[in-house]
């Protein structure tokens, strides 16, 4: 009887360890995906400019991402998050090897949560401006510049995808960490 | 020796329980503060309109929050978060009574994380528009409407405070929950 219950207890522990390790491996993969997403978002936005094929004597019509402060914030935020995600891979790798680690998981929860705030803030500030660029707004007479700057608008819209993807992944990472902590 | 170590073990457990209970009480208070913040933000933004004291024969100059989709999203997001925070007080109260609860804390981590995303998204989308309203942008010829609509702009700017406060508190709540889970 004693032996039986010990084996059963060991089974529960190894099943828990197996779950924690599985979560750690998923965590590692998702961090890479999110890092690629933010990198693509930062590069797509940060290299966007368009010069229209016509000009008056004095004005050249040119749109660059850094004309708008929200887009600059978007690039800075996504670069920061990408850098953080790459660095966090070290801890994530440690969790695959040592699945019972709790303190380093807590550290990742704290940092992931702050980065989630940064990611949604950057993406949404940019999205609000992209919306105005596409549709304009009749009340304050803000024009829909996308009617002229087509390729500019396509790129800034596309770059939002990577950033929102990273935000969604960060939500999943925080939940994974919390579950892994609760199993130890 | 045996007795001594048992008492010591009991001391560690009761200290852990004390910490978990302390975190639960802080959690409860912070949720009330955040709920008040989001409620104030939603009301301040949702009741904002200003009619200028002059008009032409055909146009009355009037600014309302729902002229701008970002502001509508802000009000909806903050109302949702406020409702969630009030409901979550029940679970928070349960954690003060039963500080060893893990599953309900995990549930709060999941929901808090999603609400954090919603809070920063709403606040930042509105902030991006408030920034344009204040300073305009010369490149796409978006005018700084705050030069005319003074009180409108003061209210939409002030309403951001409650929303960002709630976002900051949600970050703290997620960290508290993760720490409390790690102690059980």
């Amino acid at each position: 009887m004693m032996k039986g219950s010990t084996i059963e207890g060991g089974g529960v522990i190894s099943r828990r360890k197996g779950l924690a390790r599985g979560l750690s491996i998923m965590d590692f993969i998702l961090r890479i995906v999110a890092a690629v997403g933010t990198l693509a978002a930062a590069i797509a936005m940060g290299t966007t400019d368009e010069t229209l094929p016509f000009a008056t004597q004095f004005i050249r019509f040119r749109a660059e991402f850094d004309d708008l402060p929200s887009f600059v914030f978007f690039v800075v935020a996504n670069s920061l998050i990408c850098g953080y995600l790459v660095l966090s891979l070290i801890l994530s790798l440690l969790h695959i090897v040592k699945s019972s680690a709790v303190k380093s998981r807590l550290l990742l929860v704290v940092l992931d949560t702050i980065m989630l705030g940064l990611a949604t803030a950057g993406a949404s500030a940019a999205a609000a401006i992209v919306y105005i660029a596409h549709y304009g707004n009749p009340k304050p007479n803000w024009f829909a510049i996308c009617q002229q700057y087509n390729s500019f608008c396509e790129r800034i819209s596309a770059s939002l995808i990577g950033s929102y993807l990273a935000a969604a992944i960060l939500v999943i990472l925080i939940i994974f960490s919390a579950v892994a902590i609760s199993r130890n």
Side-chain angles (χ1 to χ4, degrees), chain A:
Chain A
M1 273 300 275
M2 274 298 278
K3 209 181 169 192
S5 75
T6 310
I7 288 166
E8 202 176 74
V12 170
I13 287 169
S14 74
R15 224 187 309 144
R16 282 190 172 188
K17 270 200 171 176
L19 180 82
R21 180 155 301 165
L23 286 177
S24 301
I25 293 168
M26 284 288 287
D27 181 288
F28 188 78
I29 296 166
L30 284 176
R31 271 174 209 280
I32 294 172
V33 175
V36 171
T38 50
L39 184 69
I43 290 175
M45 180 69 86
T47 57
T48 298
D49 63 306
E50 183 180 7
T51 308
L52 293 188
F54 52 85
T56 68
Q57 197 175 352
F58 304 106
I59 306 164
R60 210 160 51 111
F61 294 96
R62 187 180 164 85
E64 277 171 299
F65 84 98
D66 58 0
D67 293 338
L68 289 150
S70 291
F71 292 165
V72 177
F73 175 57
F74 179 89
V75 172
V76 172
N78 278 284
S79 307
L80 273 176
I81 296 163
C82 181
Y84 160 74
L85 284 169
V86 170
L87 284 178
S88 73
L89 286 177
I90 302 167
L91 276 182
S92 185
L93 206 59
L94 181 84
H95 294 155
I96 297 176
V97 181
K98 190 169 176 288
S99 59
S100 63
V102 168
K103 276 184 187 165
S104 55
R105 279 186 207 273
L106 273 179
L107 180 66
L108 278 190
V109 168
V110 173
L111 295 175
D112 283 352
T113 308
I114 294 166
M115 291 297 153
L116 169 64
L118 195 60
T120 49
S124 301
I129 301 300
V130 167
Y131 185 88
I132 300 248
H134 270 286
Y135 302 103
N137 197 294
K139 278 303 193 74
N141 254 330
W142 292 340
F143 308 114
I145 55 167
C146 286
Q147 286 166 8
Q148 286 90 52
Y149 297 97
N150 278 317
S151 95
F152 178 79
C153 277
E154 269 167 30
R155 282 194 63 168
I156 57 176
S157 310
S159 70
L160 294 179
I161 299 170
S163 195
Y164 275 116
L165 173 77
I169 289 178
L170 280 167
V171 170
I172 297 170
L173 290 178
I174 294 168
I175 295 169
F176 276 10
S177 292
V179 171
I181 290 170
S182 77
R183 291 299 160 117
N184 284 307

